[in-house]
Amino acid sequence: MAASETASQSIPAIQQGPVLRERVYSTLEDLIVRRVLQPGERLLENELAAALGVSRNPVREALTMLARTGWVDIHPRTGAYVHAPTPDEIDDFFDMRTLLESYAAERAASRVTAEQLDVLEEIWREGVSAVESGDVQGIVSANSAFHDRISEWSGNGMLHSTLSMMKKRVRWYFSSVADVRGMASWNEHRRIIDALRARDAAHASTLMRAHTMATADMYRSRAAAETATA
């Protein structure tokens, strides 16, 4: 079965409404972030409209909006495609993420409370359970919650806001490697929690840096392998 056919079967129909364009946008963005719609996949207005149960016009408008936010590339002659990140784009994103996440962990080490650490422990257990059950979206959700809480508890509102704006991109990249990273990622999370509990800011920062770089390296390896077999 073709990838576009598989994706169409996974796309939920949505109800008509006054903000239909925005709802189509949100639905398509979510499908891209979760990689139901894969990087480089062609997006045909008529197929998407039929799958979503809407007319082509709100789909066309939503695709234009997605192009403005960097999720879709529109080529004049061949149409719309899910954005496929370039090597430079990947490097830039992960370099920035590593810098910000490691700084958040460093700051959080001196500010996180016992109750907040208990929350991280619960998120960790949820992540481990998702790995053990093979629930990729559960892994991605728990991973997002783990990093979001640390940035929130860093005590720097601008830092947390910046990382929050990057959250969907993180989920997008991580969704493709969550199964491969598997328990290794959560073992790394375990050590980060321990460093935070010990109030060891330097160690928490170092561990977070290594953790985010490991995800970046895994993503680059998988992207290279997919390109080689394409």
Side-chain angles (χ1 to χ4, degrees):
M1 182 178 293
S4 60
E5 294 177 358
T6 302
S8 296
Q9 293 174 1
S10 304
I11 299 175
I14 60 179
Q15 300 299 313
Q16 302 282 340
V19 290
L20 187 57
R21 177 183 61 186
E22 287 76 13
R23 294 169 67 190
V24 172
Y25 172 93
S26 296
T27 298
L28 293 179
E29 182 188 52
D30 178 65
L31 293 167
I32 291 170
V33 170
R34 292 191 291 113
R35 292 187 177 247
V36 174
L37 298 172
Q38 290 285 324
E41 183 173 345
R42 190 176 184 186
L43 302 172
L44 298 175
E45 290 179 9
N46 59 335
E47 291 184 1
L48 292 173
L52 294 169
V54 300
S55 66
R56 291 179 62 175
N57 191 55
V59 172
R60 184 180 304 112
E61 292 174 340
L63 290 176
T64 299
M65 294 167 63
L66 287 163
R68 293 192 190 117
T69 52
W71 291 114
V72 166
D73 297 325
I74 297 178
H75 304 291
R77 296 184 179 179
T78 57
Y81 297 81
V82 178
H83 177 67
T86 66
D88 284 346
E89 183 180 341
I90 294 166
D91 290 344
D92 288 348
F93 179 84
F94 280 108
D95 284 350
M96 181 60 70
R97 185 199 177 203
T98 297
L99 179 67
L100 296 177
E101 293 270 14
S102 59
Y103 181 50
E106 178 183 343
R107 287 181 57 90
S110 62
R111 294 168 174 80
V112 68
T113 67
E115 291 77 13
Q116 289 167 344
L117 286 166
D118 288 343
V119 172
L120 286 181
E121 294 280 2
E122 178 59 29
I123 293 171
W124 181 82
R125 286 190 288 271
E126 291 173 0
V128 169
S129 177
V131 171
E132 292 175 343
S133 63
D135 178 7
V136 173
Q137 288 308 313
I139 298 170
V140 174
S141 294
N143 182 75
S144 181
F146 181 87
H147 287 276
D148 190 51
R149 295 288 79 76
I150 291 176
S151 72
E152 179 183 355
W153 297 330
S154 71
N156 186 314
M158 182 63 71
L159 175 62
H160 178 55
S161 176
T162 302
L163 283 168
S164 293
M165 289 188 290
M166 299 171 67
K167 192 187 308 184
K168 288 179 181 178
R169 294 280 171 176
V170 173
R171 291 175 72 104
W172 183 50
Y173 283 113
F174 188 63
S175 289
S176 71
V177 298
D179 57 337
V180 183
R181 289 283 278 131
M183 197 62 74
S185 179
W186 291 92
N187 290 338
E188 293 159 15
H189 285 161
R190 171 75 268 159
R191 291 191 286 272
I192 291 169
I193 293 173
D194 293 343
L196 294 174
R197 193 176 293 280
R199 307 291 179 185
D200 191 336
H203 193 40
S205 178
T206 297
L207 289 171
M208 183 63 84
R209 180 178 181 81
H211 171 65
T212 56
M213 289 177 67
T215 296
D217 290 342
M218 183 66 72
Y219 182 85
R220 291 187 186 99
S221 296
R222 171 159 283 194
E226 290 174 348
T227 299
T229 58

